[in-house]
Amino acid sequence: MDNAGPWSVFQADAVTPSGAIVAAVDGTIATASGQPGCLSVTVSPAATGHLLQRNVAAVLDGFSELRLWVRSERRADGSSDRPFYWKLRLASVAMDFNALGNTWYRLLPVQQENTWEMVRVSISDLPGAIRSSVTSVRLECIDAGQGFRCRLDEFIAVKPQMVADVETALVDSMHNRVTIAGTAVPAALLNPDAAAAPAPPVFSVIPYEIRRADELARFGETRGDFTDTGFRLWPTPLPYYLFYDVDARVADVSQRAALLDFVLQRFSPMGTLIVNGAPLTAEILAAPPVEPLQPSRFGRTPLRVRVTAAQQSEPEAQASVRPYRNVIVETDQRALRGV
C-alpha cells in the first residue's frame, strides 16, 4: 500500500474519474505492516457511490481469508449512528463487477478511531470464477457522511497455519539480513531428518517446544464478515508459545559474535515478528530452561526465542446471521397500573 499508482478513483459509473476521493501515499505515520508508507484516502461528502479500485493478478485458490489493515477517523459498526461506509468487492475476467452472479461483498468495520485494525474477511463463499483469477479489487463508498480520512495498509490473502507461518516468518526475519566478509548469511530451519545441515555461515533455527499460553486465553466469538443481512461469528484464536533456539553456525569462530549480536538486537528485549500481516511478540528469553549437557552443545551459544502466536480459525461456511432475533417481552399489567 506504499504506492498509490495502481489505484484509480471513479464515480458510480466506474468510468468517469472522481474528484470526491483522493488517494495518495502517506509516509508520516507508522504502519501496521512495518512498510515505509500506507495509502491515505480522503473522502469528501459528495463521494457516496464513488469507487476506489485497482487491477491485480491474484489466484485465491488455497487461501481461506483476506486481511486488510484499516485506520480511519470514522467508526463503522453498522448501527444507525455509525453505518458502514466501505464495501469490498472482487472481480475477474470471467465474472466482472456487473455480472449477475457476482453478488459477493463484505462491509468493512472500524471499531475505534485513528487506530490500526486488522479486518479479516472469509472467502469460503467467493465464487470459483473469481477465486481462480482475481483481476480487480474495489472499495465502494456507500456512505460518505460529512467526509473523512482513512488509511489502508497491507492487503493480503492467507490460509493460517500457525506453526508453519511462524517458522517461515522467523527464518525470513534473519535470512540474508546480515553479511560476513561481504557474504549475506542465510537462515534455515534445522531439519533433524535431513542428511546434512546447510553449510556455514548460516543462522540455524531449531524448533524446541510448543506450549499452550492458557493465561492469555480469551473465550467467546467476535463478529465479522458483515453484509447487509448480518454477520458471521469468528472463534477466538487459541494462544500458544512457540520456542526456538537460534544458533550461528560459522566456519570461522571469530564470526559467531557478530551473528549473535544481530539476533540479540533483532529480538531483545522484545521484538515484533510480522506473520500473515499480524505483529506477534518475539523475544529472547532472559533465563532459558536448564538442560542436561550434551556433547553436541559444547562450544555453541544458542539464543532461545519465544514467539507468542495463536491458532486461527475461520467461521463456518454458513449464511450470515442477523444481528438480532425476535424478542418477546411480557409484562405484568398490574405492575404497570401500580396495583
Side-chain angles (χ1 to χ4, degrees):
M1 289 292 189
D2 56 352
N3 181 7
W7 292 92
S8 301
V9 291
F10 300 105
Q11 296 183 24
D13 61 8
V15 177
T16 308
S18 170
I21 298 179
V22 177
V25 172
D26 183 358
T28 66
I29 189 170
T31 63
S33 66
Q35 298 297 318
C38 60
L39 189 69
S40 175
V41 183
T42 303
V43 178
S44 78
T48 298
H50 291 211
L51 313 170
L52 176 67
Q53 186 170 314
R54 67 167 293 174
N55 294 329
V56 297
V59 176
L60 298 181
D61 291 332
F63 295 99
S64 61
E65 66 180 85
L66 302 178
R67 294 182 176 184
L68 171 66
W69 283 98
V70 179
R71 179 187 176 106
S72 181
E73 299 173 344
R74 181 184 171 196
R75 293 178 62 187
D77 58 17
S79 65
S80 57
D81 294 335
R82 296 183 289 270
F84 295 115
Y85 47 83
W86 285 128
K87 176 187 283 189
L88 170 67
R89 297 189 65 199
L90 304 174
S92 68
V93 171
M95 186 174 285
D96 64 24
F97 289 113
N98 296 320
L100 292 178
N102 190 355
T103 59
W104 187 95
Y105 72 92
R106 291 293 187 266
L107 303 174
L108 305 186
V110 177
Q111 304 299 332
Q112 299 182 32
E113 300 95 339
N114 299 314
T115 301
W116 283 115
E117 298 177 355
M118 175 187 284
V119 178
R120 298 176 61 193
V121 172
S122 172
I123 55 174
S124 61
D125 57 342
L126 184 68
I130 299 177
R131 176 188 293 273
S132 61
S133 181
V134 178
T135 55
S136 298
V137 175
R138 171 182 290 180
L139 287 174
E140 177 184 351
C141 180
I142 57 176
D143 187 324
Q146 301 301 311
F148 59 94
R149 185 182 186 187
C150 179
R151 294 179 174 90
L152 306 174
D153 197 12
E154 193 168 37
F155 189 22
I156 59 175
V158 303
K159 182 175 179 58
Q161 295 176 302
M162 182 184 68
V163 176
D165 294 339
V166 166
E167 291 179 350
T168 297
L170 187 59
V171 169
D172 183 66
S173 71
M174 294 177 282
H175 184 68
N176 292 342
R177 303 301 177 96
V178 65
T179 60
I180 292 293
T183 300
V185 178
L189 188 70
L190 180 66
N191 180 6
D193 300 320
V202 63
F203 287 111
S204 185
V205 180
I206 308 166
Y208 177 77
E209 182 184 10
I210 298 176
R211 188 185 307 165
R212 281 177 19 190
D214 292 342
E215 69 277 15
L216 303 178
R218 300 291 183 270
F219 300 99
E221 298 169 312
T222 58
R223 297 178 179 182
D225 280 312
F226 293 95
T227 67
D228 289 327
T229 59
F231 52 84
R232 287 177 175 166
L233 296 175
W234 287 74
T236 301
L238 299 176
Y240 289 87
Y241 294 127
L242 284 73
F243 298 85
Y244 298 89
D245 281 350
V246 178
D247 197 5
R249 297 182 178 269
V250 293
D252 183 347
V253 70
S254 66
Q255 299 171 345
R256 177 174 289 121
L259 298 186
L260 293 177
D261 277 340
F262 169 79
V263 178
L264 288 169
Q265 292 171 1
R266 177 65 181 81
F267 298 112
S268 293
M270 184 175 292
T272 298
L273 186 68
I274 302 296
V275 180
N276 282 338
L280 303 183
T281 298
E283 55 192 324
I284 302 290
L285 291 188
V290 177
E291 300 173 338
L293 291 179
Q294 301 176 16
S296 62
R297 301 286 293 241
F298 292 159
R300 312 229 60 87
T301 315
L303 299 172
R304 182 143 305 157
V305 177
R306 183 179 73 178
V307 180
T308 305
Q311 185 73 55
Q312 303 280 351
S313 300
E314 61 177 311
E316 294 183 4
Q318 60 185 12
S320 296
V321 299
R322 296 183 65 83
Y324 60 85
R325 290 182 171 86
N326 292 333
V327 177
I328 299 175
V329 179
E330 295 182 355
T331 62
D332 188 330
Q333 296 297 323
R334 293 177 301 173
L336 294 177
R337 292 196 301 268
V339 177

